[in-house]
Amino acid sequence: MDSDAVWRADAVALADRISALLTVVRSAEAEIGALLGEIESRGVMELFGYRSVGRLFEHLADVPKAAAETVVKRARALNSGRLLDGSPVPAVAPATGTAASGGRLSTPMIDSIVGVLQQVPHEHRDRVEQDLLSFAEDAGHKQVAALGARIVAHLDPDGAEPDAAEPATPSRELSLRRKRTGVWELTGRFDDETGARASALLDSLAERRRADDGPDFRSPQERYGDAFSDAIDLALNSPDLPMQAGERAHVMVAVSLEDLKSGVGQATLGDLGTISAAEARIHACDCQIIPAVLGGKGEPLDLGRLRRLVSPGLRRALYLRDRGCAFPGCHRPPRHCQGHHIRHWADGGPTVVCHRRGTTTLPVSGPPTAGDPLREQVPDLR
């Protein structure tokens, strides 16, 4: 159908043309599968020098390896073949292969039927295949798969024999990485139970919210991103959250007093991030986030404590001054660190911010010293 014919055709004619082309495409795919089966029967190594038919089709069709293997697997199920010694290999769904060669079945439909037949005992396959093909004439692949599931349940009501082995340890992996642009990337993979719980949590938090100014126009990705942020807030507010370096997990926001008052400028967020001073003003109103206010020259205000163990305020002073471990060559973030007295507590050293050569040096940040019980370790910036 040329461009002029397409322009003149009505809606029904366009749909009919698409159906006709799909029939041609599906028929061609079925013929390709039959040819691949014949090549495998003759020996692809002897004919073309490839290790497998999947490798041959991967190069002929210029498709990924996984896609090529899927095509070959489908071809084996629809077409009978022979081993290199000549012994026959029957097809799983020969009638489905015949229907596919006529272009009447989509790829998902074929996969649905084959998937059902692979679960059905051999003595029932022919009857089940005919029932599924008859139903497929007026139904989609999802309906055929649902019917197949009911048939399998009827033929084998007890299901597969349960595995007596101990359940495997759930597979859970997560990676959180900050890019130079300030955007964080989250990737991971979880077991089915963890994924289901996470999905239920995010679904409940990602519902559309109707505001006073109109409906919620956020995309699904934006709603789930906001839901993830809300879930983090809920977790941080949990009284069962473990302590980290002697304190509850929190995010430190550092901003100058002038910028905090004016709302103009930038504030330091966490280890590396930045936010505007206006956003810092909003966070400063939240009692769950600890505000750390600096004087004009950057010195921590009202954080000193004359006592043996370091206080949370003193640790924040270390955080704000060192931004990480001060030990030469170490670059660990503050939350992974402890601190040391410049002069040991046992030798009379105070746990306060002290000055040396005109600069604040306070309990110096660094790695703990093994085997020295008298050396007090205040939260280590390492």
Side-chain angles (χ1 to χ4, degrees):
M1 183 179 289
D2 56 29
S3 58
D4 292 337
V6 171
W7 182 79
R8 291 193 303 269
D10 59 14
V12 175
L14 294 175
D16 289 343
R17 181 57 178 166
I18 291 175
S19 297
L21 291 175
L22 285 174
T23 299
V24 174
V25 171
R26 292 167 180 170
S27 178
E29 290 176 345
E31 185 177 355
I32 289 173
L35 294 174
L36 292 174
E38 180 63 24
I39 290 174
E40 189 170 43
S41 297
R42 297 186 184 185
V44 66
M45 176 65 74
E46 291 76 12
L47 293 177
F48 299 101
Y50 284 88
R51 289 178 295 172
S52 67
V53 178
R55 285 289 188 181
L56 171 64
F57 186 68
E58 177 186 349
H59 292 161
L60 290 177
D62 190 23
V63 296
K65 179 181 178 181
E69 293 293 344
T70 300
V71 171
V72 173
K73 181 180 179 181
R74 186 180 300 118
R76 291 173 182 150
L78 300 183
N79 302 277
S80 58
R82 299 183 306 275
L83 298 177
L84 294 180
D85 60 3
S87 57
V89 179
V92 176
T96 304
T98 302
S101 64
R104 295 188 288 120
L105 300 178
S106 66
T107 298
M109 180 71 76
I110 295 173
D111 293 341
S112 297
I113 295 176
V114 171
V116 172
L117 295 180
Q118 289 174 335
Q119 303 177 64
V120 171
H122 288 273
E123 62 270 20
H124 298 291
R125 280 188 178 178
D126 293 342
R127 175 63 183 276
V128 171
E129 185 177 14
Q130 291 300 327
D131 290 343
L132 293 178
L133 288 173
S134 299
F135 186 63
E137 295 178 359
D138 301 311
H141 69 276
K142 292 183 179 180
Q143 290 77 19
V144 171
L147 174 61
R150 292 197 296 271
I151 292 175
V152 171
H154 175 74
L155 295 176
D156 187 13
D158 294 332
E161 184 177 353
D163 187 3
E166 291 292 330
T169 303
S171 175
R172 301 170 187 151
E173 298 176 1
L174 186 67
S175 173
L176 182 61
R177 183 173 66 93
R178 183 183 185 274
K179 303 180 71 174
R180 292 183 179 180
T181 58
V183 175
W184 290 75
E185 287 187 347
L186 176 69
T187 57
R189 55 197 305 269
F190 305 99
D191 60 281
D192 197 21
E193 179 186 354
T194 302
R197 288 191 286 119
S199 178
L201 172 62
L202 295 179
D203 284 346
S204 65
L205 296 174
E207 294 183 353
R208 293 194 179 275
R209 309 166 188 168
R210 185 174 182 84
D212 295 336
D213 55 352
D216 188 349
F217 292 110
R218 294 176 300 164
S219 67
Q221 292 78 13
E222 291 172 334
R223 289 190 288 112
Y224 276 87
D226 292 340
F228 184 77
S229 178
D230 294 341
I232 291 176
D233 288 339
L234 291 174
L236 288 175
N237 291 329
S238 171
D240 298 327
L241 192 68
M243 304 288 282
Q244 187 178 48
E247 296 184 88
R248 289 186 57 190
H250 62 276
V251 175
M252 173 98 51
V253 178
V255 60
S256 69
L257 183 59
E258 290 79 3
D259 290 347
L260 184 63
K261 289 180 178 179
S262 65
V264 179
Q266 281 193 329
T268 301
L269 175 68
D271 300 337
L272 300 171
T274 59
I275 59 174
S276 67
E279 292 175 301
R281 287 170 60 92
I282 297 175
H283 290 311
C285 297
D286 188 346
C287 63
Q288 297 300 322
I289 296 181
I290 304 173
V293 182
L294 305 183
K297 297 182 180 180
E299 71 277 9
L301 303 179
D302 298 326
L303 293 179
R305 293 291 187 274
L306 273 174
R307 62 182 185 182
R308 176 173 176 270
L309 300 179
V310 71
S311 67
L314 194 58
R315 177 177 174 80
R316 289 180 210 121
L318 279 168
Y319 183 119
L320 296 171
R321 190 201 67 178
D322 294 339
R323 311 302 300 173
C325 183
F327 191 81
C330 184
H331 305 286
R332 294 183 181 236
R335 61 181 177 276
H336 294 167
C337 297
Q338 297 175 338
H340 290 301
H341 290 77
I342 294 176
R343 186 162 52 127
H344 296 188
W345 178 268
D347 297 334
T351 310
V352 295
V353 175
C354 54
H355 297 272
R356 183 175 60 185
R357 297 178 184 175
T359 60
T360 304
T361 55
L362 110 151
V364 67
S365 311
T369 302
D372 189 354
L374 296 181
R375 181 166 181 154
E376 299 301 324
Q377 298 171 4
V378 289
D380 182 18
L381 301 189
R382 154 194 189 176

